[in-house]
Amino acid sequence: MPQKIKLALIYGSAREGRFCDTVVDWAATEIRGHQQFDIRLIDPRELASNRADVTRRLGEADAFIVVTPEYNHGYTADLKALIDAHSKEWQAKPLAFVSYGGISGGLRAVEQLRLVFAELHVVAIRDTVSFAFASRRFDASGALIEPRDARKAMSLLLARLQWWAITLREARTNSPFLEVAA
Ligand SMILES: Cc1cc2nc3c(=O)[nH]c(=O)nc-3n(C[C@H](O)[C@H](O)[C@H](O)COP(=O)(O)O)c2cc1C
C-alpha cells in the first residue's frame, strides 16, 4: 500500500454562520471515499490562536484543496491572511479548488487565487468543482440535492490531484525545491 497523501482541506471563509461548513463537509465526505487521502482541516479562524499548529499541518501536507466562496468577485481577506502567513509550506505542491457562491459559483475568486498561488510556487490544477447558487444545491441536512455531476467532477479532480501529489512528493524527495535568495 503506497504512503497516503496528506491532504490539507482549507476553509476559504471565516464568517460566523458561513456556508463554507456545508461545502467543506461535502468535500471531506467525497475525499474519505477515496482511501488514498489522509485529510487534515485548516481553518483561517485558527490562525490567531493556533498559528504554529496550522503551519505544521500545512508544512506536512502533500496537496491542498481550497474551498472558496466569492465576495465581490474576489476571495476573502481571511483566506489571504492564511496564505500570506506561510511560504515554503506551499512550495512545489499541488492544489485544487472547490468553489461556491452566487451566479459565478465562486469561479472568479478561483481565477484570482491562481495568480496568488503561482507566486508561492504552487501547482494549481485545472480541475475545479463549482457550485453556483450553492445554498439551493444542498438540502437542510447538507446533502447535495442532485449529486451526480458534482461527484463525478470531484472524482476526476481527486484523481488528478493524486497524480500531482505523488509526482511532486517524489520530486521534492529526490531534489530539494530550488530557492534562490532575493
Ligand atoms: C457582500 C457580498 C458579496 C458577494 N459577492 C458575490 C460575488 O461577487 N459573486 C458570487 O458568486 N457570490 C457573491 N456573494 C455570495 C456569497 O458567495 C455567498 O453568500 C457565500 O455563501 C459566502 O460564503 P460563506 O457563507 O461561506 O461566507 C456575495 C455575498 C455577499 C454577502
Side-chain angles (χ1 to χ4, degrees):
M1 173 96 176
Q3 195 190 349
K4 283 199 171 191
I5 296 160
K6 296 189 180 98
L7 173 61
L9 181 59
I10 302 171
Y11 291 81
S13 171
R15 186 179 69 80
E16 193 68 40
R18 63 189 176 188
F19 193 72
C20 203
D21 290 318
T22 300
V23 187
V24 166
D25 289 351
W26 174 81
T29 303
E30 293 299 312
I31 296 162
R32 287 193 188 102
H34 293 250
Q35 313 258 312
Q36 59 272 40
F37 292 103
D38 177 12
I39 300 179
R40 59 237 31 240
L41 295 173
I42 308 272
D43 192 331
R45 288 176 181 169
E46 295 178 89
L47 201 56
S49 59
N50 209 9
R51 181 169 172 150
D53 199 54
V54 170
T55 301
R56 182 186 57 76
R57 277 177 278 143
L58 283 175
E60 285 174 359
D62 298 309
F64 310 105
I65 292 182
V66 171
V67 178
T68 184
E70 181 172 303
Y71 282 90
N72 295 323
H73 295 199
Y75 47 82
T76 69
D78 297 294
L79 176 58
K80 188 62 160 55
L82 175 76
I83 295 169
D84 293 347
H86 298 92
S87 108
K88 67 178 181 354
E89 290 78 10
W90 299 114
Q91 288 178 0
K93 297 177 184 176
L95 179 148
F97 296 102
V98 173
S99 70
Y100 62 97
I103 195 162
S104 82
L107 288 171
R108 291 175 290 212
V110 167
E111 293 309 308
Q112 292 199 25
L113 284 165
R114 289 185 189 282
L115 299 178
V116 173
F117 278 113
E119 178 63 11
L120 292 157
H121 305 283
V122 171
V123 178
I125 71 168
R126 169 188 182 274
D127 303 84
T128 304
V129 179
S130 163
F131 297 105
F133 300 112
S135 57
R136 300 183 205 159
R137 304 281 305 277
F138 293 82
D139 69 18
S141 74
L144 262 181
I145 294 163
E146 287 181 24
R148 205 181 63 143
D149 289 351
R151 294 198 69 197
K152 196 171 154 202
M154 188 66 173
S155 200
L156 185 55
L157 178 155
L158 290 172
R160 295 232 171 90
L161 191 65
Q162 180 185 355
W163 188 90
W164 278 106
I166 291 170
T167 301
L168 291 180
R169 185 168 62 191
E170 276 176 21
R172 291 193 308 277
T173 305
N174 293 338
S175 161
F177 184 69
L178 188 63
E179 289 195 76
V180 179

